[in-house]
């Protein structure tokens, strides 16, 4: 018994390490860069916005409907799905039957808490927890609930005899995929962006006061006291060069007797400086930005007032180049995730069928079968995007007679 317990914890620990490795590409930058972000503060419509975005239990455990392409204000379903809910009940029964009470309790509590936070009964909790309300969209918590409902649903396989579990795995997975088919195709494909450009984005920011951050300015960089409210001159040039980085025009005017410059590309500027001076650029500072002066790395700092990239330029004729190259942590995290992903593929393909921890004398689902099944899902996903969605799961109703 002790050997089996040690083996079980080794499996769990290895799984956690692999999970951490796969998520390192997101997790490590978040952990190291979150200190550079601050919450902008409460918005006047936060409570009302939360109320409008809470869901009901019937909605959370419902089947998604077919998407009407004529609906320009479509809100994607806020649901975990009816199939997942039913399988979770059978999964809970299976865990209790196998006397896995601790696992069953943990999964039920996790799922219940995520569902609770997505309903209006949790409004007081949203308002009590500091800054929690800035998440604004309660359905975001359902993504956490999806983990628990997936584990509970998968546990329903324990009700099936081992010799039929492969067939059960295929059947139940197919039901889950079929349930999600109406919403598996990206919604943005139904929208036309051909007539929009970076100029439209700039105008939207200027009119709505969403200054280059998230849609509601929930989170902002820590640098800068205020946000610049000016409109860049020659704004139309952004339609063809949306990524251009300019010298801040007010600085250029103020120091016009000390410098002259020419924009040679989106991120390169030829500049002649008559005397050492401090220059700001129309780009918010954040770790990962790099300036090169005449091909050599050059120090930059955040501007105190606006948080823009600022540099103390020496006298002379120079070529300035600004690029976002990322941080060392971002590069290391990417390598870790790639190596972990490759390792997972090798382990799955070359590994042998493992034994069930609850029934050591019986083999679990064949690993190569799982790999082939995953490959089949990838192929199916391609077919789904190219043909299946438009053929079966998209309608375009007349404007005067909407489908729903």
């Amino acid at each position: 018994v002790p050997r089996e317990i040690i083996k079980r914890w080794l499996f769990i620990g290895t799984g956690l390490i692999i999970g951490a490795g796969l998520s390192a590409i997101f997790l490590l930058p978040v952990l190291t860069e979150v200190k550079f972000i601050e919450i902008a503060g409460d918005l006047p419509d936060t409570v009302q916005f939360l109320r409008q975005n809470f869901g009901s239990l019937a909605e959370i455990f419902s089947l998604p409907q077919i998407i009407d392409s004529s609906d320009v204000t479509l809100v994607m379903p806020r649901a975990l799905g009816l199939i997942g809910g039913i399988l979770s009940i059978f999964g809970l029964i299976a865990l209790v039957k196998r006397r896995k009470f601790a696992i069953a309790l943990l999964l039920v509590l996790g799922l219940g808490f995520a569902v609770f936070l997505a309903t209006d009964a949790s409004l007081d909790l949203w308002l009590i927890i500091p800054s929690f309300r800035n998440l604004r969209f309660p359905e975001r918590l359902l993504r956490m609930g999806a983990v628990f409902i997936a584990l509970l649903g998968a546990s329903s396989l324990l009700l099936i005899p081992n010799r039929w579990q492969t067939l059960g795995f295929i059947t139940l997975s197919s039901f889950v995929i079929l349930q999600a088919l109406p919403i598996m195709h990206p919604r943005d494909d139904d929208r036309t962006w051909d007539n929009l450009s970076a100029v439209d984005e700039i105008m939207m920011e200027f009119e709505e006061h969403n200054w280059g951050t998230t849609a509601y300015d929930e989170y902002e960089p820590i640098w800068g006291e205020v946000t610049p409210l000016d409109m860049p001159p020659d704004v139309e040039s952004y339609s063809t060069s949306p990524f251009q980085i300019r010298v801040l025009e007010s600085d250029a005017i103020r120091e016009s007797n000390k410098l002259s410059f020419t924009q040679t590309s989106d991120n390169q500027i030829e500049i002649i400086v008559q005397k050492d001076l401090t220059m700001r650029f129309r780009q918010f500072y954040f770790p990962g930005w790099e300036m090169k002066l005449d091909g050599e790395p050059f120090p930059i700092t955040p501007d105190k007032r606006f948080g823009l990239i600022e540099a103390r330029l020496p006298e002379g004729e120079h070529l300035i180049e600004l690029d976002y190259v990322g941080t060392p942590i971002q590069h290391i995290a990417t390598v870790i995730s790639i190596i972990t992903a490759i390792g997972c593929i090798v382990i799955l393909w070359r590994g042998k069928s493992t034994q069930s921890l609850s029934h050591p004398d019986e083999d679990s689902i064949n690993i190569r079968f799982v790999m082939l099944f995953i490959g089949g899902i990838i192929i199916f996903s391609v077919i789904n995007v190219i043909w299946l969605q438009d053929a079966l799961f998209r309608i375009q109703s007349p404007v005067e007679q909407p489908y729903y």
Side-chain angles (χ1 to χ4, degrees):
V1 176
R3 175 184 287 183
E4 287 302 318
I5 293 176
I6 293 173
K7 186 177 180 180
R8 184 171 304 191
W9 280 105
L10 282 174
F11 282 149
I12 293 173
T14 303
L16 290 173
I17 292 172
I18 290 174
L22 291 172
S23 62
I25 191 171
F26 307 108
L27 190 59
L28 287 181
V30 167
L31 292 176
T32 56
E33 296 174 11
V34 69
K35 61 186 177 183
F36 303 129
I37 299 296
E38 63 183 4
I39 296 175
D42 290 336
L43 295 166
D45 67 336
T46 297
V47 175
Q48 183 60 30
F49 192 86
L50 281 172
R51 291 184 187 277
Q52 293 173 350
N53 282 277
F54 282 124
S56 64
L57 287 178
E59 182 182 6
I60 291 171
F61 293 102
S62 65
L63 289 171
Q65 62 184 357
I66 293 176
I67 290 177
D68 188 346
S69 299
S70 298
D71 186 356
V72 296
T73 60
L74 175 68
V75 175
M76 298 301 285
R78 297 168 287 196
L80 292 172
L82 179 62
I83 302 297
I86 293 173
L87 291 179
S88 293
I89 295 173
F90 285 106
L92 178 60
I93 294 172
L95 290 172
V96 172
K97 186 177 178 181
R98 294 290 184 95
R99 305 184 66 82
K100 306 296 182 183
F101 301 121
I103 296 176
L105 180 62
L106 177 65
L107 295 179
V108 169
L109 288 177
L111 176 59
F113 188 60
V115 171
F116 169 71
L117 288 176
T119 62
D120 57 4
S122 66
L123 177 61
D124 289 341
L125 187 60
W126 278 83
L127 301 180
I128 290 172
I129 300 175
S131 304
F132 196 52
R133 67 186 71 184
N134 284 73
L135 287 174
R136 293 183 66 87
F137 297 94
E139 65 266 23
R140 289 173 172 174
L141 277 301
L142 292 180
R143 300 169 189 173
M144 178 179 67
V147 176
F148 296 105
I149 201 171
L151 292 173
L152 270 173
S155 299
S156 63
L157 287 172
L158 296 174
L159 294 174
I160 303 173
N162 270 44
R163 65 179 180 275
W164 297 108
Q165 281 190 354
T166 298
L167 180 60
F169 175 76
I170 296 174
T171 304
L172 296 184
S173 298
S174 299
F175 276 123
V176 172
I177 292 172
L178 285 171
Q179 171 192 248
L181 274 177
I183 57 173
M184 286 177 68
H185 194 37
R187 175 66 179 94
D188 286 350
D189 285 3
D190 297 326
R191 298 174 179 173
T192 301
W193 303 95
D194 296 344
N195 296 324
L196 296 178
S197 70
V199 175
D200 298 286
E201 172 68 18
I202 293 171
M203 296 301 296
M204 183 277 294
E205 290 185 357
F206 185 75
E207 294 168 2
E208 303 292 335
H209 290 198
N210 298 332
W211 304 114
T213 59
T214 50
Y216 293 91
D217 282 344
E218 300 105 319
Y219 309 102
E220 298 176 335
I222 61 174
W223 301 282
E225 300 168 347
V226 295
T227 302
L229 306 179
D230 64 319
M231 177 72 70
D234 189 22
V235 68
E236 290 299 328
S237 66
Y238 283 89
S239 62
T240 53
S241 302
F243 300 113
Q244 60 179 292
I245 300 175
R246 298 179 175 183
V247 170
L248 189 64
E249 292 79 12
S250 58
D251 286 6
I253 294 172
R254 186 183 68 249
E255 306 287 357
S256 59
N257 62 330
K258 299 178 185 177
L259 69 87
S260 61
F261 61 90
T262 304
Q263 188 100 24
T264 57
S265 70
D266 283 354
N267 69 329
Q268 289 186 338
I269 302 170
E270 290 182 350
I271 190 166
I272 300 175
V273 181
Q274 305 295 338
K275 185 179 179 181
D276 292 6
L277 55 82
T278 299
M279 181 62 62
R280 293 174 295 178
F281 299 85
R282 198 176 272 279
Q283 171 63 51
F284 288 112
Y285 174 88
F286 203 80
W289 277 100
E290 178 186 79
M291 174 185 283
K292 288 186 177 180
L293 188 71
D294 302 325
E296 297 295 328
F298 193 78
I300 56 175
T301 56
D303 155 46
K304 182 178 180 180
R305 179 163 174 76
F306 297 134
L308 301 175
I309 291 176
E310 181 180 75
R312 182 70 178 175
L313 302 178
E315 180 182 341
E317 185 174 344
H318 307 288
L319 176 64
I320 295 173
E321 184 176 352
L322 270 169
D323 282 300
Y324 186 81
V325 298
T327 63
I329 288 293
Q330 290 174 9
H331 300 315
I332 292 170
T334 302
V335 172
I336 291 174
S337 291
I338 292 173
I339 292 175
T340 306
I342 294 172
C344 288
I345 295 172
V346 172
I347 291 172
L348 286 172
W349 188 252
R350 295 182 61 85
K352 299 178 180 178
S353 296
T354 57
Q355 289 184 319
S356 167
L357 291 174
S358 52
H359 298 280
D361 353 339
E362 300 179 6
D363 287 339
S364 63
I365 296 174
N366 185 278
I367 291 178
R368 293 201 176 189
F369 162 76
V370 174
M371 288 291 294
L372 291 173
F373 185 77
I374 292 173
I377 290 179
I378 293 173
I379 294 172
F380 174 79
S381 300
V382 174
I383 296 174
N384 177 55
V385 171
I386 294 176
W387 172 75
L388 192 59
Q389 279 293 316
D390 289 332
L392 298 179
F393 297 105
R394 282 289 185 279
I395 60 171
Q396 188 162 6
S397 61
V399 177
E400 65 278 3
Q401 293 181 325
Y403 175 69
Y404 51 80

